[in-house]
Amino acid sequence: MSTNPAHSPPIRGAPAPAHARPGSVGKTVALACLGVFASYLPIGGVSVSLPSIQQGLGASTADLQWITDAFILPMAAFILTFGLIGDLYGRKKVFLAGLGFFAAGSAVSLTATSVAQVWIGQALSGVGAAALLTSTLALISHVCPDFRARAKAVSAWAAALGLGMSLGPLVSGAILEGATWRWIFLPPLIACVIGLAVGAVLLVDSKAPHGRAIDIPGQLAAVIAVASLVYGVIEGGASGWGAGKVVAAFAVAAAALAAFIVVELRSPSPMLSMQLFTSRAFSGAGVVIALALFAQVGLVFALSLFFGTVQHLSALEIGWRFLALNGLAVVLAPVVGRLMGRVAPGLLLALGLVVTSIGTFWLNTLEADSGAGTVVLVLAVIGAGFSFVMAPITAIAVSSVPHHLAGMAGAGSNTLRQVGGALGPAVFGVILTQHTVSALPEQLSAAGLSAADQDSVLNAVASDGLAAAGHLDVGASATARALGAFGDSFSGALHLCATIGGIGMLVAAAVTVVCIGVRKTAPEAHPVRSAPAQRGEAVVKEAAESA
């Protein structure tokens, strides 16, 4: 059987989708794109605003990591649940609820007076984003059962995601030119309100219950596993990897993951069927998307701090630079959509990952004094490569299983996507802090600072972390040299992050070749088959034997 979803034969026993009403396809795809646009608009916007938030609230690097992860964690933890709820009670309801949660979270962050309130707002928005991500893909799968039509719709979906990532930094940067950082949360609030008003009237609902039921034990195990893992990584960098709470967090994460697998294997109605992973294409897609998002989101976090803390750029200047990274996803989306109907998605994916890895390794040439031209060129290479990652990997994940399991497959793929995205800032934040702090004494000495000035700088960094660079004061001359030493130390940490990210992209490319394949046709050893399909085949076989 072909591993290329475009050439896979139909799965017997899988219920056929209901015929979409004329005009409903375009409306559904448009609203799905609006939903994913709204959910990704603040990701890029918050990233470029981290230095401003850090100064405004006196936040530490760990606080900033949690601002990012407070959004991503609920996305990872609740995607499966919302996918199940959508299948049972309707994807339109989940879509509208997602917009409601997102609007509420944006309102909380808009009025925040503390880091903790921003965390709460981000968490609510993350819950909304989980509902939007899973419902939008499921809605598209329902109205586009044909692979080619679905590939074009998914390409538009990926372009909307990229557009949100692209415009977020620019919109936030423009806002920060004349207002405080809190106002960056107003645009997603407006987008969600518009989506609620339009979606309630125009969106066509769909379901795919097929005997499924709410899986509370599985949900609890998934939430505990993801939250404990990310907490352990972040606190490990702040408190030490041998700290009791860190070791306990990793132990809880491992136990919860094992419990989740056991629960899902035994559940008569699992939220994530382990049978999905018998498809090499689906399993490979999950690994690839987790690695890719780990590197991409982690590098965006690291670069945001580099641009703001080391190069002292404004949020708007940072936004223009990130436009080269995210904007190409929008520009190249039509090209990717057309190619997906003619070229094996695995080939597009592998080539995209290789190009992305080249650009990621190229980040090792960036220094504190690197100009905008060099930065934009490097980020453009990364953006061009990543443009050929999102749409193919999403299409592969939802098309490698029977149609009625597409919602679950999309939710599972998005869960792994967000786990990777949550671990990126957590791991890279730890690397940035630890490597910068460890390299700083040697850099300060090389800069010619006196022992007293070195101690003053090191004490400030030990107390405030990377945020200390914003208020160092050891005399005009010494401060300039200290900031130069800090910039060199941070640049070295950024290079280490880039090396790790580049390796991750190459590993993802290798997994693509091995598990998904890069040819139009290739044998698949373990196609996913539903229990109804197996029972139907048994009945047909018995009837034939009786005849």
Side-chain angles (χ1 to χ4, degrees):
M1 183 181 293
S2 169
T3 54
N4 181 4
H7 299 276
S8 297
I11 306 294
R12 285 176 290 174
H19 180 66
R21 295 202 302 267
S24 65
V25 175
K27 294 175 183 177
T28 299
V29 173
L31 284 166
C33 289
L34 175 63
V36 76
F37 169 80
S39 63
Y40 269 77
L41 187 65
I43 293 181
V46 170
S47 294
V48 301
S49 306
L50 289 176
S52 298
I53 296 174
Q54 188 174 47
Q55 294 176 7
L57 296 177
S60 67
T61 303
D63 290 337
L64 296 182
Q65 290 170 262
W66 278 113
I67 286 176
T68 300
D69 281 336
F71 180 87
I72 295 177
L73 270 175
M75 290 176 74
F78 290 105
I79 280 177
L80 290 173
T81 297
F82 281 118
L84 176 58
I85 292 174
D87 286 346
L88 288 172
Y89 305 111
R91 282 76 175 257
K92 176 180 178 178
K93 298 180 182 65
V94 172
F95 178 84
L96 296 177
L99 290 172
F101 273 111
F102 210 106
S106 298
V108 170
S109 297
L110 180 63
T111 59
T113 57
S114 66
V115 174
Q117 188 174 342
V118 178
W119 292 343
I120 294 172
Q122 286 283 85
L124 286 172
S125 295
V127 172
L132 290 172
L133 279 175
T134 186
S135 61
T136 51
L137 275 179
L139 286 166
I140 286 175
S141 284
H142 175 76
V143 298
C144 301
D146 175 70
F147 174 77
R148 294 181 186 276
R150 191 188 312 150
K152 293 179 181 179
V154 169
S155 294
W157 180 90
L161 186 156
L163 185 62
M165 290 284 288
S166 302
L167 292 183
L170 292 178
V171 172
S172 294
I175 289 173
L176 289 172
E177 290 291 305
T180 65
W181 58 266
R182 292 173 181 82
W183 291 101
I184 68 172
F185 296 100
L186 182 61
L189 175 60
I190 294 173
C192 288
V193 171
I194 293 174
L196 277 168
V198 177
V201 177
L202 297 182
L203 193 63
V204 177
D205 207 354
S206 65
K207 301 178 184 180
H210 300 296
R212 303 187 69 191
I214 297 295
D215 180 13
I216 295 178
Q219 175 61 66
L220 291 175
V223 171
I224 293 172
V226 174
S228 299
L229 177 61
V230 176
Y231 175 83
V233 172
I234 293 178
E235 289 301 316
S239 306
W241 299 105
K245 60 182 179 181
V246 175
V247 174
F250 286 132
V252 170
L257 177 60
F260 176 77
I261 293 173
V262 171
V263 167
E264 297 307 284
L265 286 173
R266 294 181 176 179
S267 174
S269 178
M271 61 190 300
L272 181 64
S273 173
M274 295 295 107
Q275 194 177 27
L276 290 176
F277 294 96
T278 62
S279 166
R280 274 186 15 180
F282 179 82
S283 299
V287 173
V288 168
I289 197 62
L291 286 172
L293 266 292
F294 164 80
Q296 199 241 17
V297 177
L299 286 172
V300 167
F301 176 85
L303 285 167
S304 297
L305 292 181
F306 174 77
F307 292 146
T309 305
V310 176
Q311 295 197 325
H312 308 292
L313 302 177
S314 69
L316 185 57
E317 291 172 321
I318 298 173
W320 281 115
R321 283 159 175 76
F322 276 132
L323 185 62
L325 178 65
N326 300 315
L328 282 173
V330 181
V331 175
L332 295 176
V335 177
V336 176
R338 286 193 294 269
L339 287 175
M340 284 174 62
R342 305 171 184 174
V343 182
L347 178 59
L348 294 177
L349 178 60
L351 292 175
L353 289 166
V354 170
V355 173
T356 305
S357 71
I358 292 172
T360 303
F361 283 123
W362 200 355
L363 289 173
N364 281 288
T365 64
L366 295 189
E367 301 293 346
D369 59 352
S370 294
T374 301
V375 171
V376 168
L377 180 59
V378 176
L379 293 183
V381 173
I382 297 175
F386 212 76
S387 298
F388 288 84
V389 172
M390 293 304 297
I393 194 64
T394 304
I396 290 168
V398 300
S399 300
S400 59
V401 300
H403 187 275
H404 69 289
L405 295 179
M408 182 189 291
S413 176
N414 273 319
T415 297
L416 294 170
R417 178 204 310 259
Q418 301 311 325
V419 169
L423 288 177
V427 173
F428 286 177
V430 170
I431 292 172
L432 289 174
T433 300
Q434 292 189 344
H435 191 279
T436 300
V437 170
S438 64
L440 191 55
E442 182 179 349
Q443 294 290 348
L444 290 172
S445 178
L449 269 71
S450 66
D453 287 341
Q454 291 183 44
D455 289 340
S456 178
V457 172
L458 292 175
N459 288 335
V461 172
S463 174
D464 299 333
L466 302 182
H471 54 78
L472 286 178
D473 186 9
V474 287
S477 176
T479 298
R481 284 180 286 156
L483 289 175
F486 180 89
D488 290 339
S489 300
F490 194 104
S491 297
L494 176 64
H495 297 164
L496 180 56
C497 291
T499 300
I500 294 173
I503 293 172
M505 293 293 184
L506 287 180
V507 171
V511 172
T512 299
V513 173
V514 173
C515 295
I516 298 172
V518 296
R519 296 179 297 168
K520 270 279 189 177
T521 57
E524 180 175 292
H526 301 288
V528 178
R529 299 162 67 203
S530 64
Q534 293 171 351
R535 289 195 296 269
E537 289 177 14
V539 170
V540 172
K541 182 178 179 181
E542 182 178 350
E545 290 175 348
S546 299

PDB file of all heavy atoms in Angstrom, residues 284-303:
ATOM      1  N   GLY A 284       5.823   8.771  12.074  1.00  0.00           N
ATOM      2  CA  GLY A 284       6.914   9.609  11.600  1.00  0.00           C
ATOM      3  C   GLY A 284       6.541  11.073  11.589  1.00  0.00           C
ATOM      4  O   GLY A 284       7.331  11.939  11.972  1.00  0.00           O
ATOM      5  N   ALA A 285       5.299  11.364  11.163  1.00  0.00           N
ATOM      6  CA  ALA A 285       4.846  12.755  11.132  1.00  0.00           C
ATOM      7  C   ALA A 285       4.837  13.351  12.532  1.00  0.00           C
ATOM      8  O   ALA A 285       5.182  14.525  12.716  1.00  0.00           O
ATOM      9  CB  ALA A 285       3.450  12.830  10.515  1.00  0.00           C
ATOM     10  N   GLY A 286       4.448  12.558  13.538  1.00  0.00           N
ATOM     11  CA  GLY A 286       4.434  13.056  14.905  1.00  0.00           C
ATOM     12  C   GLY A 286       5.821  13.412  15.404  1.00  0.00           C
ATOM     13  O   GLY A 286       6.032  14.467  16.029  1.00  0.00           O
ATOM     14  N   VAL A 287       6.790  12.545  15.139  1.00  0.00           N
ATOM     15  CA  VAL A 287       8.172  12.817  15.556  1.00  0.00           C
ATOM     16  C   VAL A 287       8.714  14.045  14.836  1.00  0.00           C
ATOM     17  O   VAL A 287       9.352  14.917  15.446  1.00  0.00           O
ATOM     18  CB  VAL A 287       9.071  11.592  15.272  1.00  0.00           C
ATOM     19  CG1 VAL A 287      10.533  11.929  15.549  1.00  0.00           C
ATOM     20  CG2 VAL A 287       8.629  10.407  16.117  1.00  0.00           C
ATOM     21  N   VAL A 288       8.446  14.125  13.546  1.00  0.00           N
ATOM     22  CA  VAL A 288       8.969  15.239  12.737  1.00  0.00           C
ATOM     23  C   VAL A 288       8.403  16.570  13.223  1.00  0.00           C
ATOM     24  O   VAL A 288       9.139  17.545  13.404  1.00  0.00           O
ATOM     25  CB  VAL A 288       8.644  15.025  11.251  1.00  0.00           C
ATOM     26  CG1 VAL A 288       8.923  16.303  10.445  1.00  0.00           C
ATOM     27  CG2 VAL A 288       9.461  13.869  10.693  1.00  0.00           C
ATOM     28  N   ILE A 289       7.092  16.632  13.442  1.00  0.00           N
ATOM     29  CA  ILE A 289       6.494  17.908  13.833  1.00  0.00           C
ATOM     30  C   ILE A 289       6.953  18.330  15.218  1.00  0.00           C
ATOM     31  O   ILE A 289       7.138  19.523  15.495  1.00  0.00           O
ATOM     32  CB  ILE A 289       4.951  17.835  13.756  1.00  0.00           C
ATOM     33  CG1 ILE A 289       4.362  19.254  13.737  1.00  0.00           C
ATOM     34  CG2 ILE A 289       4.366  17.031  14.893  1.00  0.00           C
ATOM     35  CD1 ILE A 289       4.778  20.082  12.562  1.00  0.00           C
ATOM     36  N   ALA A 290       7.158  17.368  16.134  1.00  0.00           N
ATOM     37  CA  ALA A 290       7.650  17.719  17.466  1.00  0.00           C
ATOM     38  C   ALA A 290       9.064  18.285  17.393  1.00  0.00           C
ATOM     39  O   ALA A 290       9.372  19.312  18.024  1.00  0.00           O
ATOM     40  CB  ALA A 290       7.613  16.488  18.376  1.00  0.00           C
ATOM     41  N   LEU A 291       9.939  17.645  16.619  1.00  0.00           N
ATOM     42  CA  LEU A 291      11.316  18.129  16.477  1.00  0.00           C
ATOM     43  C   LEU A 291      11.355  19.494  15.797  1.00  0.00           C
ATOM     44  O   LEU A 291      12.085  20.403  16.214  1.00  0.00           O
ATOM     45  CB  LEU A 291      12.144  17.119  15.680  1.00  0.00           C
ATOM     46  CG  LEU A 291      12.557  15.841  16.394  1.00  0.00           C
ATOM     47  CD1 LEU A 291      13.196  14.863  15.411  1.00  0.00           C
ATOM     48  CD2 LEU A 291      13.526  16.146  17.531  1.00  0.00           C
ATOM     49  N   ALA A 292      10.570  19.648  14.734  1.00  0.00           N
ATOM     50  CA  ALA A 292      10.589  20.895  13.981  1.00  0.00           C
ATOM     51  C   ALA A 292      10.099  22.067  14.813  1.00  0.00           C
ATOM     52  O   ALA A 292      10.695  23.153  14.806  1.00  0.00           O
ATOM     53  CB  ALA A 292       9.751  20.752  12.710  1.00  0.00           C
ATOM     54  N   LEU A 293       8.996  21.867  15.538  1.00  0.00           N
ATOM     55  CA  LEU A 293       8.472  22.960  16.360  1.00  0.00           C
ATOM     56  C   LEU A 293       9.348  23.229  17.571  1.00  0.00           C
ATOM     57  O   LEU A 293       9.456  24.368  18.029  1.00  0.00           O
ATOM     58  CB  LEU A 293       7.039  22.650  16.787  1.00  0.00           C
ATOM     59  CG  LEU A 293       5.941  23.231  15.886  1.00  0.00           C
ATOM     60  CD1 LEU A 293       5.909  24.758  15.990  1.00  0.00           C
ATOM     61  CD2 LEU A 293       6.132  22.820  14.439  1.00  0.00           C
ATOM     62  N   PHE A 294       9.976  22.189  18.115  1.00  0.00           N
ATOM     63  CA  PHE A 294      10.945  22.387  19.197  1.00  0.00           C
ATOM     64  C   PHE A 294      12.019  23.372  18.760  1.00  0.00           C
ATOM     65  O   PHE A 294      12.326  24.346  19.461  1.00  0.00           O
ATOM     66  CB  PHE A 294      11.576  21.053  19.581  1.00  0.00           C
ATOM     67  CG  PHE A 294      12.835  21.184  20.397  1.00  0.00           C
ATOM     68  CD1 PHE A 294      12.777  21.436  21.760  1.00  0.00           C
ATOM     69  CD2 PHE A 294      14.079  21.054  19.798  1.00  0.00           C
ATOM     70  CE1 PHE A 294      13.936  21.563  22.514  1.00  0.00           C
ATOM     71  CE2 PHE A 294      15.246  21.176  20.534  1.00  0.00           C
ATOM     72  CZ  PHE A 294      15.178  21.440  21.901  1.00  0.00           C
ATOM     73  N   ALA A 295      12.574  23.140  17.575  1.00  0.00           N
ATOM     74  CA  ALA A 295      13.650  23.998  17.084  1.00  0.00           C
ATOM     75  C   ALA A 295      13.133  25.375  16.707  1.00  0.00           C
ATOM     76  O   ALA A 295      13.728  26.403  17.076  1.00  0.00           O
ATOM     77  CB  ALA A 295      14.332  23.337  15.888  1.00  0.00           C
ATOM     78  N   GLN A 296      12.007  25.423  15.986  1.00  0.00           N
ATOM     79  CA  GLN A 296      11.545  26.706  15.466  1.00  0.00           C
ATOM     80  C   GLN A 296      11.065  27.644  16.572  1.00  0.00           C
ATOM     81  O   GLN A 296      11.473  28.800  16.649  1.00  0.00           O
ATOM     82  CB  GLN A 296      10.434  26.481  14.447  1.00  0.00           C
ATOM     83  CG  GLN A 296      10.219  27.684  13.538  1.00  0.00           C
ATOM     84  CD  GLN A 296       8.825  28.263  13.659  1.00  0.00           C
ATOM     85  OE1 GLN A 296       8.104  27.999  14.608  1.00  0.00           O
ATOM     86  NE2 GLN A 296       8.450  29.086  12.699  1.00  0.00           N
ATOM     87  N   VAL A 297      10.190  27.158  17.462  1.00  0.00           N
ATOM     88  CA  VAL A 297       9.666  28.015  18.522  1.00  0.00           C
ATOM     89  C   VAL A 297      10.778  28.375  19.512  1.00  0.00           C
ATOM     90  O   VAL A 297      10.851  29.506  20.000  1.00  0.00           O
ATOM     91  CB  VAL A 297       8.490  27.326  19.253  1.00  0.00           C
ATOM     92  CG1 VAL A 297       7.993  28.189  20.402  1.00  0.00           C
ATOM     93  CG2 VAL A 297       7.356  27.053  18.270  1.00  0.00           C
ATOM     94  N   GLY A 298      11.657  27.416  19.797  1.00  0.00           N
ATOM     95  CA  GLY A 298      12.779  27.696  20.695  1.00  0.00           C
ATOM     96  C   GLY A 298      13.697  28.772  20.138  1.00  0.00           C
ATOM     97  O   GLY A 298      14.156  29.663  20.858  1.00  0.00           O
ATOM     98  N   LEU A 299      13.963  28.720  18.825  1.00  0.00           N
ATOM     99  CA  LEU A 299      14.844  29.716  18.209  1.00  0.00           C
ATOM    100  C   LEU A 299      14.180  31.088  18.141  1.00  0.00           C
ATOM    101  O   LEU A 299      14.860  32.111  18.299  1.00  0.00           O
ATOM    102  CB  LEU A 299      15.259  29.255  16.815  1.00  0.00           C
ATOM    103  CG  LEU A 299      16.295  28.126  16.789  1.00  0.00           C
ATOM    104  CD1 LEU A 299      16.486  27.613  15.375  1.00  0.00           C
ATOM    105  CD2 LEU A 299      17.631  28.615  17.362  1.00  0.00           C
ATOM    106  N   VAL A 300      12.881  31.136  17.908  1.00  0.00           N
ATOM    107  CA  VAL A 300      12.179  32.421  17.927  1.00  0.00           C
ATOM    108  C   VAL A 300      12.298  33.058  19.310  1.00  0.00           C
ATOM    109  O   VAL A 300      12.546  34.267  19.444  1.00  0.00           O
ATOM    110  CB  VAL A 300      10.701  32.248  17.524  1.00  0.00           C
ATOM    111  CG1 VAL A 300       9.897  33.503  17.834  1.00  0.00           C
ATOM    112  CG2 VAL A 300      10.591  31.919  16.044  1.00  0.00           C
ATOM    113  N   PHE A 301      12.143  32.251  20.364  1.00  0.00           N
ATOM    114  CA  PHE A 301      12.301  32.738  21.730  1.00  0.00           C
ATOM    115  C   PHE A 301      13.713  33.271  21.953  1.00  0.00           C
ATOM    116  O   PHE A 301      13.909  34.380  22.469  1.00  0.00           O
ATOM    117  CB  PHE A 301      12.001  31.596  22.707  1.00  0.00           C
ATOM    118  CG  PHE A 301      12.214  31.945  24.158  1.00  0.00           C
ATOM    119  CD1 PHE A 301      11.217  32.571  24.894  1.00  0.00           C
ATOM    120  CD2 PHE A 301      13.409  31.650  24.797  1.00  0.00           C
ATOM    121  CE1 PHE A 301      11.406  32.893  26.226  1.00  0.00           C
ATOM    122  CE2 PHE A 301      13.612  31.966  26.128  1.00  0.00           C
ATOM    123  CZ  PHE A 301      12.606  32.594  26.844  1.00  0.00           C
ATOM    124  N   ALA A 302      14.720  32.504  21.544  1.00  0.00           N
ATOM    125  CA  ALA A 302      16.119  32.900  21.739  1.00  0.00           C
ATOM    126  C   ALA A 302      16.457  34.150  20.934  1.00  0.00           C
ATOM    127  O   ALA A 302      17.127  35.068  21.431  1.00  0.00           O
ATOM    128  CB  ALA A 302      17.048  31.749  21.359  1.00  0.00           C
ATOM    129  N   LEU A 303      16.004  34.202  19.679  1.00  0.00           N
ATOM    130  CA  LEU A 303      16.297  35.356  18.837  1.00  0.00           C
ATOM    131  C   LEU A 303      15.602  36.617  19.344  1.00  0.00           C
ATOM    132  O   LEU A 303      16.160  37.720  19.241  1.00  0.00           O
ATOM    133  CB  LEU A 303      15.871  35.068  17.402  1.00  0.00           C
ATOM    134  CG  LEU A 303      16.775  34.116  16.617  1.00  0.00           C
ATOM    135  CD1 LEU A 303      16.092  33.666  15.329  1.00  0.00           C
ATOM    136  CD2 LEU A 303      18.126  34.767  16.300  1.00  0.00           C
TER     137      LEU A 303
END
